Amino acid sequence: MVLARAGFADILVANEIVERLDLDLIAAAARLAALTVVVDHPIQVARISSTASSSGVRIGVLIDVDPGLGRTGVAFDSPEVVELARAIARCDSLVFRGIQAYEGHVVLQRDPEVRRVMSWQVARLIEAAISNLQRAGFDCELISGGGTGTIQPAISAGVLTEIQAGSYVLMDTTYADIGLELEQAVFGVATVISRRSASSAAINAGTKSMNTDKGMPRVLTAGARLVGMGDEHGRLALDRTANLDVGDRVLLVPSHLDPTVNLHDVLLVESHGDLAVWRIDGRRMYMEEEV
Ligand SMILES: Cc1ncc(COP(=O)(O)O)c(C=O)c1O
């Protein structure tokens, strides 16, 4: 909805939509932009199609194919792929557009050669699903997949028409640690609020401001390391080189970007010395929408 209101003309919601609130949101967004969703079950097709027809909109649909992640998606060689395409084609309010195959099991592989080979294998599975659809009379104009860790290998594997990378925009330590040469662009700013010993300090940032499911955020101050986080506090281990006192600020690099950004209402954006405040509009969507 945020993207549609901001004027983006062609939007993919790379997820299965089932709940009433979500269905109403995508129908509202489809009045403003060309909207596409993904499905892996006939119940989703039925709900999206009935919401689209009662709202007087048409919604594009991709079949979600599982390339080995094991999260959502039908098996690439299952007859369900063609059955779902037929179910979509029977609905006047839906437009069959192609396939999504998100290779989330590949994007964080540490070895670039493993990422390259696995992305290539995924592309061949996608090709098999495309051929089955073609034989049944369905052409795929949109084939969407890949992620930040596989931008290059997924392009080289040669089957996708669109890469679904997201984290590349701001980056995090988890992606930096697999050697991606993308610049880090988002940081948490925290203040040292206590320094009770030579080897430790406390900062005013905890798990309410930085997500830790992929490990502790990295501290960009020489000699300082985050070793624990509570709700409101972070515990720094300091070596002799760390020159930090109460009131000093430290920069923190998130280990996992998406859930960290989602904890905040705004981003402070610095450009050539000027600071701007950007609202994170996707938060509180349900509270602000009258759906
Ligand atoms: C379906 C799908 N596509 C794309 C992405 C983007 O991945 P990344 O942020 O790693 O580029 C995700 C991330 O979870 C996803 O679930």
Side-chain angles (χ1 to χ4, degrees), residues 9 16-17 21 39 56 73 104 130 146 148 155 163 170 203 209 212 221 235 238 261 277:
E16 280 73 9
I17 304 291
L21 275 173
V39 297
I130 294 171
T148 295
I155 291 171
I163 304 284
L170 299 174
I203 55 173
S209 46
T212 55
T221 301
R235 195 153 48 86
L238 306 174
V261 170
V277 178

Side-chain angles (χ1 to χ4, degrees), residues 12-16 38 64 69 71-72 100-104 107-108 144-151 163-169 172 175 180 214 256-258:
L12 170 65
V13 178
N15 225 325
E16 280 73 9
V38 309
D64 190 12
L69 173 60
R71 183 177 68 180
T72 59
Q100 160 175 284
Y102 175 57
E103 53 192 23
V107 294
L108 283 172
S144 190
T148 295
T150 55
I151 295 172
I163 304 284
Q164 300 186 347
S167 301
Y168 79 98
V169 180
D172 56 30
Y175 269 132
L180 300 186
K214 296 249 169 82
H256 194 181
L257 170 70
D258 330 24

